[in-house]
Amino acid sequence: MSADLCELGVAEAAAKVAAGEISAAELFGAWREAAAGDELNAYLWRAQEAEPGSGPLGGVPVAVKDIFCTEGAPTTAGSRILEGYAPPYTSTAVQRLTEAGASVLGKTNMDEFAMGSSNENSAYGPVLNPWDRERVPGGSSGGSAAVVAGGLAPCAIGTDTGGSIRQPAALCGIVGLKPTYGAISRYGMIAFASSLDQCGPLTRDVTDAALLLAALQGRDPCDSTSVGIEGGVRAPSRGDLKGLRFAVPSELARDEIDAGVREVFEATLARIEELGGEIAEAPLPHAEHGISAYYVIAPAEASSNLARYDGVRYGQRAEGGDLVEMYESTRADGFGAEVKRRIMLGTYALSSGYYDAYYGRAQRVRTKIAADFDAAFAEFDFVVTPTSPSVAFRLGEKTADPLAMYMNDFFTVPMSLAGIPAISIPAGLAEPEGGGPRLPVGFQIAAPAFGEQPLLEAAYALEQAIGFEARPGGSGDG
Ligand code: GLN
């Protein structure tokens, strides 16, 4: 029985609870049992008791990236420096989910302060990909992606600063949505790069993503950058793509994409045409500079945001020495290598004499990238790309080469810089370079700012046509 309950999607489970066919406690119990079997190192904390309410998500357990403050549960952001930190309040995103009736199932592992693309930067050890435990789940929301793909949670939330929802969703074969900047409140979501960070859902399908987004979005007086999505969000129902125009960036042709990923991407374009959509190339000439601009802007903002971790107010404190020594050793012991690298890069980029050359220039590139998208959306409804240039890579494969790791975000960073919504849906399976069992490939669709509803409608129509049924462990095929 409990295994069957875990087969239900978010919408179905909530409907059965609402109809009284199953109880919220039963549903939570089934998922608590599933979560207890975590062999992927995906959970950092698990709830023992449900606190379900009623509403559209009534009774549905949700896994929460450990970057969202949750009163009564530890919150580490994947860092040693926040070990033992017990937030005195709950983030608005989690609050909205519980107000819609959901119950927190656990807190998921992540790259430290959301910096990474493989989850190998977590101070609590890497998360394993449920499709192949020798491979990464992607990052930084790798724990949230792995629990949904691995059958350890029905749905999850994560954060995406440059791709951290979409890329792990792609590498784990699930749906990941990064909403428009400002769609969801960032209050209580531990800051990495404040002008880029957005919360979003990781789910089995597009309908579940819409359900979660409907609950999450909205203006929040505690976050002045939150505006919500006008008209709200509904479950999608579109059956075709007639009359819709999809742009494929012309620059894609010369970019490095694995052969298997390219094949799935092209097959998906053919499906779009079968559904009546039109496909054409469009230039996004500045998108290729996205990575360079992002890796100045994000570390610059991070260096400022992370200054608050000094041993005085939160988490860990190193003992001994005077005040300055205490600051220094707390930060030296508490932060991992990637976080330190970014604090140094960001501090340098913001320093007097270099500010204009690095930060100012990166901001100008950002504006150009946003203008490229504006120009594309004057003629097209959507821009499509592969989500990630490769399928899930091996643990350790890219840890020695930060630049190779950063290239994972090649296709996801431009949308983050432009602040526009983008979704990754599973589009098929491909063999990794060098051979091995086939792994999921994500297809990314981006829309104009606050175009979440049309985006979900198109993604839904395409999802139905693709019919991706594959699961980790080999049942079915995409
Ligand atoms: N992988 C990117 C980085 O390391 C994006 C991370 C994110 O979106 N949080 O910064």
Side-chain angles (χ1 to χ4, degrees):
M1 179 63 190
S2 64
D4 295 346
L5 289 182
C6 297
E7 288 296 312
L8 300 172
V10 172
E12 299 158 307
K16 283 193 191 291
V17 171
E21 284 173 45
I22 54 175
S23 75
E26 238 180 309
L27 183 64
F28 189 85
W31 280 110
R32 185 180 50 203
E33 208 175 294
D38 174 19
E39 292 175 353
L40 305 171
N41 195 30
Y43 279 109
L44 294 178
W45 177 87
R46 277 165 287 206
Q48 288 314 309
E49 275 170 50
E51 16 175 331
S54 54
L57 299 176
V60 176
V62 51
V64 172
K65 186 179 184 178
D66 204 28
I67 199 165
F68 292 92
C69 288
T70 39
E71 194 182 347
T75 300
T76 67
S79 184
R80 256 323 144 212
I81 213 162
L82 281 176
E83 202 170 353
Y85 172 56
Y89 69 111
T90 294
S91 57
T92 300
V94 172
Q95 190 72 41
R96 290 267 158 95
L97 291 175
T98 49
E99 280 163 14
S103 195
V104 174
L105 179 61
K107 304 291 294 288
T108 58
N109 200 350
M110 56 179 283
D111 283 304
E112 185 174 7
F113 287 106
M115 298 175 189
S117 308
S118 68
N119 241 277
E120 292 164 297
N121 294 336
S122 169
Y124 304 96
V127 176
L128 313 182
N129 189 313
W131 293 79
D132 177 346
R133 295 184 185 186
E134 283 168 19
R135 292 178 185 268
V136 305
S140 65
S141 311
S144 285
V147 293
V148 175
L152 306 173
C155 61
I157 58 170
T159 58
D160 190 312
T161 302
S164 278
I165 288 175
R166 292 162 284 162
Q167 184 256 14
L171 271 44
C172 288
I174 61 166
V175 171
L177 169 67
K178 183 203 87 77
T180 309
Y181 184 79
I184 301 173
S185 169
R186 289 179 296 112
Y187 181 68
M189 191 173 104
I190 293 175
F192 161 16
S194 312
S195 76
L196 296 156
D197 299 342
Q198 254 306 282
C199 161
L202 294 105
T203 53
R204 285 190 206 153
D205 60 30
V206 176
T207 303
D208 287 357
L211 268 169
L212 259 64
L213 180 63
L216 290 163
Q217 67 85 25
R219 184 192 292 269
D220 173 13
C222 296
D223 171 8
S224 59
T225 65
S226 68
V227 288
I229 299 168
E230 227 184 286
V233 174
R234 298 170 305 286
S237 59
R238 194 173 171 124
D240 63 47
L241 297 173
K242 287 192 189 107
L244 296 177
R245 304 202 65 207
F246 294 78
V248 178
S250 344
E251 294 72 20
L252 222 60
R254 52 171 208 271
D255 292 324
E256 268 183 46
I257 305 171
D258 283 3
V261 171
R262 193 177 279 280
E263 222 171 89
V264 171
F265 180 68
E266 272 156 17
T268 311
L269 295 182
R271 292 229 193 252
I272 290 179
E273 287 182 316
E274 281 163 28
L275 290 169
E278 242 180 88
I279 300 197
E281 270 190 27
L284 282 181
H286 302 91
E288 63 177 318
H289 303 299
I291 289 281
S292 313
Y294 173 86
Y295 278 99
V296 172
I297 295 169
E301 294 185 12
S303 70
S304 168
N305 277 325
L306 271 53
R308 72 190 67 169
Y309 305 106
D310 55 8
V312 176
R313 285 159 294 187
Y314 312 94
Q316 291 296 297
R317 173 183 301 174
E319 297 300 335
D322 63 17
L323 183 64
V324 172
E325 281 163 2
M326 188 279 284
Y327 290 156
E328 287 174 351
S329 33
T330 296
R331 290 168 68 83
D333 299 347
F335 288 137
E338 182 65 20
V339 172
K340 286 178 183 160
R341 174 167 22 241
R342 299 211 192 178
I343 291 173
M344 286 191 280
L345 281 172
T347 305
Y348 180 78
L350 290 178
S351 59
S352 155
Y354 295 99
Y355 186 96
D356 276 334
Y358 292 103
Y359 189 70
R361 181 169 301 189
Q363 290 291 23
R364 286 195 287 279
V365 171
R366 182 177 189 173
T367 302
K368 293 272 187 208
I369 290 174
D372 282 355
F373 278 111
D374 284 345
F377 290 135
E379 281 181 53
F380 294 89
D381 298 282
F382 304 105
V383 171
V384 294
T385 73
T387 308
S388 170
S390 73
V391 293
F393 43 94
R394 289 186 182 286
L395 287 156
E397 193 176 321
K398 298 189 182 179
T399 40
D401 186 352
L403 289 181
M405 190 68 91
Y406 296 171
M407 289 315 283
N408 267 289
D409 310 320
F410 189 82
F411 296 120
T412 49
V413 149
M415 293 75 180
S416 296
L417 290 169
I420 60 176
I423 193 167
S424 177
I425 62 170
L429 298 173
E431 210 176 273
E433 300 275 273
R438 300 197 306 151
L439 296 165
V441 175
F443 185 82
Q444 180 178 230
I445 316 173
F450 301 106
E452 273 82 355
Q453 192 63 43
L455 177 63
L456 288 161
E457 298 290 350
Y460 177 80
L462 189 55
E463 170 186 62
Q464 304 310 304
I466 292 170
F468 184 85
E469 294 288 346
R471 296 261 187 114
S475 59
D477 214 13

mmCIF file of all heavy atoms in Angstrom, residues 344-366:
data_model
loop_
_atom_site.group_PDB
_atom_site.id
_atom_site.type_symbol
_atom_site.label_atom_id
_atom_site.label_comp_id
_atom_site.label_asym_id
_atom_site.label_seq_id
_atom_site.Cartn_x
_atom_site.Cartn_y
_atom_site.Cartn_z
ATOM 1 N N MET A 344 37.088 35.437 -2.757
ATOM 2 C CA MET A 344 38.296 36.159 -3.190
ATOM 3 C C MET A 344 38.082 36.807 -4.553
ATOM 4 O O MET A 344 38.404 37.984 -4.751
ATOM 5 C CB MET A 344 39.491 35.207 -3.216
ATOM 6 C CG MET A 344 39.972 34.880 -1.810
ATOM 7 S SD MET A 344 41.546 34.037 -1.788
ATOM 8 C CE MET A 344 41.022 32.376 -2.149
ATOM 9 N N LEU A 345 37.511 36.050 -5.498
ATOM 10 C CA LEU A 345 37.260 36.610 -6.830
ATOM 11 C C LEU A 345 36.308 37.801 -6.745
ATOM 12 O O LEU A 345 36.535 38.836 -7.372
ATOM 13 C CB LEU A 345 36.610 35.549 -7.735
ATOM 14 C CG LEU A 345 37.520 34.504 -8.352
ATOM 15 C CD1 LEU A 345 36.690 33.431 -9.042
ATOM 16 C CD2 LEU A 345 38.458 35.170 -9.359
ATOM 17 N N GLY A 346 35.253 37.627 -5.977
ATOM 18 C CA GLY A 346 34.232 38.670 -5.874
ATOM 19 C C GLY A 346 34.761 39.919 -5.195
ATOM 20 O O GLY A 346 34.478 41.045 -5.619
ATOM 21 N N THR A 347 35.546 39.728 -4.157
ATOM 22 C CA THR A 347 36.112 40.869 -3.441
ATOM 23 C C THR A 347 37.060 41.640 -4.368
ATOM 24 O O THR A 347 37.046 42.864 -4.424
ATOM 25 C CB THR A 347 36.866 40.384 -2.179
ATOM 26 O OG1 THR A 347 35.958 39.603 -1.403
ATOM 27 C CG2 THR A 347 37.373 41.542 -1.337
ATOM 28 N N TYR A 348 37.821 40.885 -5.125
ATOM 29 C CA TYR A 348 38.747 41.507 -6.085
ATOM 30 C C TYR A 348 37.964 42.301 -7.137
ATOM 31 O O TYR A 348 38.271 43.458 -7.418
ATOM 32 C CB TYR A 348 39.591 40.420 -6.755
ATOM 33 C CG TYR A 348 40.575 40.942 -7.755
ATOM 34 C CD1 TYR A 348 41.767 41.533 -7.346
ATOM 35 C CD2 TYR A 348 40.313 40.850 -9.126
ATOM 36 C CE1 TYR A 348 42.663 42.024 -8.276
ATOM 37 C CE2 TYR A 348 41.205 41.353 -10.057
ATOM 38 C CZ TYR A 348 42.384 41.932 -9.625
ATOM 39 O OH TYR A 348 43.273 42.429 -10.538
ATOM 40 N N ALA A 349 36.915 41.667 -7.697
ATOM 41 C CA ALA A 349 36.147 42.325 -8.758
ATOM 42 C C ALA A 349 35.474 43.602 -8.265
ATOM 43 O O ALA A 349 35.195 44.503 -9.050
ATOM 44 C CB ALA A 349 35.097 41.366 -9.327
ATOM 45 N N LEU A 350 35.215 43.700 -6.973
ATOM 46 C CA LEU A 350 34.536 44.881 -6.436
ATOM 47 C C LEU A 350 35.523 45.901 -5.868
ATOM 48 O O LEU A 350 35.109 46.957 -5.388
ATOM 49 C CB LEU A 350 33.559 44.469 -5.325
ATOM 50 C CG LEU A 350 32.315 43.690 -5.758
ATOM 51 C CD1 LEU A 350 31.486 43.321 -4.526
ATOM 52 C CD2 LEU A 350 31.473 44.487 -6.734
ATOM 53 N N SER A 351 36.806 45.583 -5.918
ATOM 54 C CA SER A 351 37.748 46.463 -5.224
ATOM 55 C C SER A 351 37.983 47.738 -6.032
ATOM 56 O O SER A 351 37.838 47.769 -7.255
ATOM 57 C CB SER A 351 39.066 45.731 -4.938
ATOM 58 O OG SER A 351 39.636 45.285 -6.143
ATOM 59 N N SER A 352 38.343 48.773 -5.317
ATOM 60 C CA SER A 352 38.548 50.089 -5.917
ATOM 61 C C SER A 352 39.584 49.992 -7.033
ATOM 62 O O SER A 352 40.619 49.362 -6.888
ATOM 63 C CB SER A 352 38.994 51.038 -4.803
ATOM 64 O OG SER A 352 39.729 52.096 -5.323
ATOM 65 N N GLY A 353 39.275 50.587 -8.174
ATOM 66 C CA GLY A 353 40.192 50.538 -9.314
ATOM 67 C C GLY A 353 39.851 49.404 -10.275
ATOM 68 O O GLY A 353 40.188 49.452 -11.451
ATOM 69 N N TYR A 354 39.169 48.353 -9.768
ATOM 70 C CA TYR A 354 38.818 47.225 -10.639
ATOM 71 C C TYR A 354 37.319 47.119 -10.849
ATOM 72 O O TYR A 354 36.853 46.375 -11.684
ATOM 73 C CB TYR A 354 39.347 45.913 -10.051
ATOM 74 C CG TYR A 354 40.840 45.871 -10.002
ATOM 75 C CD1 TYR A 354 41.521 46.149 -8.830
ATOM 76 C CD2 TYR A 354 41.570 45.586 -11.152
ATOM 77 C CE1 TYR A 354 42.901 46.153 -8.788
ATOM 78 C CE2 TYR A 354 42.957 45.584 -11.126
ATOM 79 C CZ TYR A 354 43.608 45.867 -9.930
ATOM 80 O OH TYR A 354 44.963 45.865 -9.913
ATOM 81 N N TYR A 355 36.581 47.869 -10.040
ATOM 82 C CA TYR A 355 35.124 47.770 -10.035
ATOM 83 C C TYR A 355 34.544 47.931 -11.443
ATOM 84 O O TYR A 355 33.786 47.094 -11.929
ATOM 85 C CB TYR A 355 34.572 48.843 -9.090
ATOM 86 C CG TYR A 355 33.092 48.782 -8.867
ATOM 87 C CD1 TYR A 355 32.560 48.122 -7.763
ATOM 88 C CD2 TYR A 355 32.221 49.390 -9.761
ATOM 89 C CE1 TYR A 355 31.197 48.079 -7.557
ATOM 90 C CE2 TYR A 355 30.857 49.351 -9.560
ATOM 91 C CZ TYR A 355 30.352 48.696 -8.457
ATOM 92 O OH TYR A 355 29.007 48.645 -8.259
ATOM 93 N N ASP A 356 34.960 49.012 -12.138
ATOM 94 C CA ASP A 356 34.425 49.260 -13.475
ATOM 95 C C ASP A 356 34.888 48.224 -14.481
ATOM 96 O O ASP A 356 34.127 47.776 -15.317
ATOM 97 C CB ASP A 356 34.834 50.659 -13.956
ATOM 98 C CG ASP A 356 33.876 51.703 -13.423
ATOM 99 O OD1 ASP A 356 32.715 51.323 -13.142
ATOM 100 O OD2 ASP A 356 34.279 52.871 -13.273
ATOM 101 N N ALA A 357 36.167 47.865 -14.367
ATOM 102 C CA ALA A 357 36.737 46.934 -15.347
ATOM 103 C C ALA A 357 36.071 45.564 -15.268
ATOM 104 O O ALA A 357 35.913 44.894 -16.285
ATOM 105 C CB ALA A 357 38.240 46.801 -15.119
ATOM 106 N N TYR A 358 35.692 45.132 -14.064
ATOM 107 C CA TYR A 358 35.101 43.799 -13.938
ATOM 108 C C TYR A 358 33.605 43.860 -13.702
ATOM 109 O O TYR A 358 32.810 43.471 -14.553
ATOM 110 C CB TYR A 358 35.797 43.015 -12.817
ATOM 111 C CG TYR A 358 37.215 42.683 -13.174
ATOM 112 C CD1 TYR A 358 38.282 43.400 -12.642
ATOM 113 C CD2 TYR A 358 37.496 41.655 -14.073
ATOM 114 C CE1 TYR A 358 39.586 43.120 -12.994
ATOM 115 C CE2 TYR A 358 38.801 41.361 -14.439
ATOM 116 C CZ TYR A 358 39.836 42.091 -13.888
ATOM 117 O OH TYR A 358 41.120 41.805 -14.242
ATOM 118 N N TYR A 359 33.205 44.368 -12.548
ATOM 119 C CA TYR A 359 31.783 44.335 -12.186
ATOM 120 C C TYR A 359 30.955 45.195 -13.151
ATOM 121 O O TYR A 359 29.938 44.737 -13.695
ATOM 122 C CB TYR A 359 31.599 44.813 -10.742
ATOM 123 C CG TYR A 359 30.202 44.601 -10.226
ATOM 124 C CD1 TYR A 359 29.736 43.311 -9.964
ATOM 125 C CD2 TYR A 359 29.343 45.670 -10.034
ATOM 126 C CE1 TYR A 359 28.445 43.108 -9.502
ATOM 127 C CE2 TYR A 359 28.052 45.467 -9.564
ATOM 128 C CZ TYR A 359 27.615 44.188 -9.301
ATOM 129 O OH TYR A 359 26.341 43.984 -8.853
ATOM 130 N N GLY A 360 31.433 46.404 -13.422
ATOM 131 C CA GLY A 360 30.707 47.323 -14.318
ATOM 132 C C GLY A 360 30.568 46.707 -15.713
ATOM 133 O O GLY A 360 29.492 46.711 -16.302
ATOM 134 N N ARG A 361 31.652 46.137 -16.216
ATOM 135 C CA ARG A 361 31.596 45.552 -17.552
ATOM 136 C C ARG A 361 30.677 44.333 -17.584
ATOM 137 O O ARG A 361 29.906 44.151 -18.530
ATOM 138 C CB ARG A 361 33.004 45.171 -18.017
ATOM 139 C CG ARG A 361 32.996 44.579 -19.408
ATOM 140 C CD ARG A 361 34.364 44.440 -19.994
ATOM 141 N NE ARG A 361 35.034 45.746 -20.063
ATOM 142 C CZ ARG A 361 36.187 45.938 -20.709
ATOM 143 N NH1 ARG A 361 36.779 44.944 -21.323
ATOM 144 N NH2 ARG A 361 36.736 47.121 -20.724
ATOM 145 N N ALA A 362 30.760 43.512 -16.562
ATOM 146 C CA ALA A 362 29.887 42.325 -16.509
ATOM 147 C C ALA A 362 28.416 42.751 -16.504
ATOM 148 O O ALA A 362 27.577 42.119 -17.146
ATOM 149 C CB ALA A 362 30.213 41.484 -15.274
ATOM 150 N N GLN A 363 28.116 43.825 -15.812
ATOM 151 C CA GLN A 363 26.730 44.312 -15.791
ATOM 152 C C GLN A 363 26.300 44.803 -17.169
ATOM 153 O O GLN A 363 25.142 44.637 -17.559
ATOM 154 C CB GLN A 363 26.547 45.437 -14.752
ATOM 155 C CG GLN A 363 26.635 44.975 -13.294
ATOM 156 C CD GLN A 363 25.459 44.096 -12.859
ATOM 157 O OE1 GLN A 363 24.778 43.465 -13.659
ATOM 158 N NE2 GLN A 363 25.223 44.049 -11.566
ATOM 159 N N ARG A 364 27.229 45.384 -17.913
ATOM 160 C CA ARG A 364 26.878 45.830 -19.266
ATOM 161 C C ARG A 364 26.615 44.623 -20.177
ATOM 162 O O ARG A 364 25.700 44.637 -20.992
ATOM 163 C CB ARG A 364 27.967 46.749 -19.835
ATOM 164 C CG ARG A 364 27.928 48.140 -19.181
ATOM 165 C CD ARG A 364 28.740 49.166 -19.950
ATOM 166 N NE ARG A 364 30.184 48.962 -19.792
ATOM 167 C CZ ARG A 364 30.882 49.374 -18.727
ATOM 168 N NH1 ARG A 364 30.288 50.008 -17.747
ATOM 169 N NH2 ARG A 364 32.172 49.148 -18.657
ATOM 170 N N VAL A 365 27.409 43.571 -20.001
ATOM 171 C CA VAL A 365 27.172 42.338 -20.781
ATOM 172 C C VAL A 365 25.799 41.776 -20.424
ATOM 173 O O VAL A 365 25.035 41.344 -21.297
ATOM 174 C CB VAL A 365 28.283 41.295 -20.504
ATOM 175 C CG1 VAL A 365 27.933 39.949 -21.140
ATOM 176 C CG2 VAL A 365 29.627 41.794 -21.002
ATOM 177 N N ARG A 366 25.476 41.837 -19.147
ATOM 178 C CA ARG A 366 24.177 41.335 -18.694
ATOM 179 C C ARG A 366 23.030 42.067 -19.408
ATOM 180 O O ARG A 366 22.061 41.451 -19.859
ATOM 181 C CB ARG A 366 24.073 41.531 -17.174
ATOM 182 C CG ARG A 366 22.802 41.013 -16.585
ATOM 183 C CD ARG A 366 22.809 41.173 -15.069
ATOM 184 N NE ARG A 366 21.673 40.467 -14.498
ATOM 185 C CZ ARG A 366 21.458 40.290 -13.211
ATOM 186 N NH1 ARG A 366 22.322 40.777 -12.340
ATOM 187 N NH2 ARG A 366 20.410 39.639 -12.777
#
